[in-house]
Each structure stands twice: as structure tokens, then as C-alpha cells.
Amino acid sequence: MTETKSLTGIVYDKLLSEKTKKITEKFFISVAIISYLLHLLVIALVDLEIILVNDYSKLLSNPISAIYTPFSFILIYEVYLLVYYLPKSTTIYIGKQYEIITLIIIRRIFKDLTKLEINSNWFEVKTNINFTLDIIATVILFYLIYLFYKLNRQNEINQAITQKNIELTKFINLKNIFAIALIPIFLVLSIYSLGHWIYESFFSLREIVYNIKDINKIFFEKFFTILILTEVLLLLFSFFLSDKFNRVIRNSGFIISTILIKLSFETEGIMNTILIVTAVLFGVIVLAINNKYETLEVKKESALVP
């Protein structure tokens, strides 16, 4: 048993330690900068007709579309952070999911900027409508995420008071194991999706690959499915730790929020925006109500102290 724990600790330190996180951060920032410059270079070469591409290469038609590439690498890093925070804080882990879906929308905005039709009939053009919805959704999501993290600070204070005498070691170790298991899945999906995206974006002749929804399906839809399965297992194991009604509802609510985000990858237009905003709003409301319950618990325990 000791050897297993020791092995788990070694693997965890290699994959999810603070040192590894900093190295990973520098790596993805460097790759994002280099990929952005390379994308701009390729666009310039295409514009000068030094490189000939097919008619469907929209990502090579405008310098603004080059922003899409570094954002793709930043998103992959955000997914790593999501796994990194899984054993450390459930709420920050969920918050990272909200950050990822918001960054996906921002990346989509940069992509759609190159396809806007500036005229008096703005709302008669589908691309313009989607762009407007994404702009509004980004502002709303940005504020909701702020509220979520603000509520999380209160949640951490309440838990520090109510969980002083609760043994959390086994559950934390279990979350460490889940996080370690997610890393190879994350790496395989990242490498596959990157290779698929590069091929389809720059070399394939199929127009359908330029649909942002389909590109997201390569990685994020699959990964969020895995996250849902992981969260359900953690919810079941958490009953060994606590069967408090508010925490069961909170964790169940977070799973519902993740499912709504996953469903958003299967939709587009206004339904996509509604699902994403509803998912984050639901998570914020669930956390706010949970904090009210935790405050009641703290007052109840204080009243029992002689």
C-alpha cells in the first residue's frame, strides 16, 4: 500500500506539481507565440502567391484569422490547468471549465471577424447575428465567472471552518489518481486534435472542416464527456466523505453544468449561446445557494459550542 502511494506521489509530482505547471505554461506560451508568427508568415506567402492553396483555406485569407491559432494552444493549456486543479479545488476546477468555454467563444469571435458583412442589414446576415450573440455572451460569461470565483472565496472560508475534523486524505488521494489518469487522455486527444486541425485547416479540400463546431468536436466534446464520467464517479465516492444535502446538490449541479457545456458543442447559433450561458449561470446559482447552507452549518456548530 505504501509503495502504491509512493508511486502515485512520484507520478503526481512529475505531471501535476507546481514546477510542472510552470514548465507547461512556458511551453504553451512559447508555442502560441511561434504558431502565431508562423501563421502570419504563411498568410503573407499565400498573399504573395508564393504558396498556392485551395479556395476553402479561409484561415489563410486574412491576418486577423491568425489569432485563431495561438488561442487554440492557450485553450489546450487551459485544459491542462483544469486537470491540475481537479485534486486541489472542485470549484476552481469547475471555474476552469467556464473559462475554457468562454475562450472558445472568444476564439470564434476572432474567426468570424474575417467574415462579417458591414451593411445596413446587419441582422439579416447569419454570420453577423452569431458574432453579435458571441460578443454579448462573452461579456455575460466574464461577469458570471467573476461572481463564481467571488462566491468560491466565501465557500473556501466556510469549508475551512466546517471541515476541520473531517478526514479528507483518502478522497484527495482518489482525486489525485483521477487527475493522473486524465493526463495521458489529455495528451492523446491534444496530439490527435492538433494534427487533425493542421491537416484539415491547411491541406484538406473539404469545406466542412471550417465549421468551428466540428473542429471543437475533435477535442472538447470528447474531453468534456470524459470529465462528466469522472465527475459522476467522484460524486459517488464523495458520499463516503459527506452526505450533506447541500454538497450533494452542489456537486450534482456542477455535473449538470458540465453536461450543458458538452451539449453546446452539438448546437450552433442562439441555442449554442443559450446553453453556454445557462450552464455557467446555473453553476453560479448552485454555488451561491450552497454557500448559504454552509453559513447555516457554521452558525449551527457555533451555537452548539458551550
Side-chain angles (χ1 to χ4, degrees), residues 28-44:
F28 276 105
I29 290 174
S30 300
V31 171
I33 293 170
I34 293 170
S35 67
Y36 176 60
L37 295 175
L38 285 175
H39 197 154
L40 285 174
L41 176 61
V42 172
I43 289 173

Side-chain angles (χ1 to χ4, degrees), residues 106-133:
I106 292 174
R107 184 180 67 167
R108 189 164 65 198
I109 289 172
F110 283 124
K111 185 169 183 287
D112 289 343
L113 274 170
T114 62
K115 298 184 290 183
L116 290 179
E117 295 185 21
I118 311 299
N119 53 50
S120 57
N121 301 318
W122 179 272
F123 291 105
E124 293 181 8
V125 181
K126 184 180 178 181
T127 304
N128 294 357
I129 295 172
N130 290 337
F131 176 81
T132 304
L133 288 172

Side-chain angles (χ1 to χ4, degrees), residues 4 8 12 87 172-182:
T4 304
T8 302
Y12 181 86
I172 292 173
N173 287 338
L174 179 66
K175 292 206 291 184
N176 287 343
I177 292 171
F178 274 99
I180 290 170
L182 283 172

Side-chain angles (χ1 to χ4, degrees), residues 3-24 80-90 92-93 169-184:
E3 291 181 3
T4 304
K5 285 186 178 179
S6 176
L7 179 61
T8 302
I10 292 171
V11 176
Y12 181 86
D13 288 340
K14 291 289 184 181
L15 299 177
L16 293 162
S17 65
E18 179 67 24
K19 181 181 178 181
T20 304
K21 182 173 82 73
K22 289 180 179 179
I23 293 172
T24 305
Y80 170 79
L81 287 181
L82 188 152
V83 178
Y84 173 82
Y85 282 110
L86 173 61
K88 296 173 175 60
S89 171
T90 300
I92 294 179
Y93 160 76
T169 305
K170 289 183 179 179
F171 189 62
I172 292 173
N173 287 338
L174 179 66
K175 292 206 291 184
N176 287 343
I177 292 171
F178 274 99
I180 290 170
L182 283 172
I183 288 294

Side-chain angles (χ1 to χ4, degrees), residues 221 228 258-267 272 275:
E221 186 182 18
I228 291 167
T258 304
I259 291 172
L260 289 174
I261 291 174
K262 185 211 175 275
L263 289 175
S264 72
F265 293 116
E266 301 173 9
T267 62
N272 176 270
L275 280 172

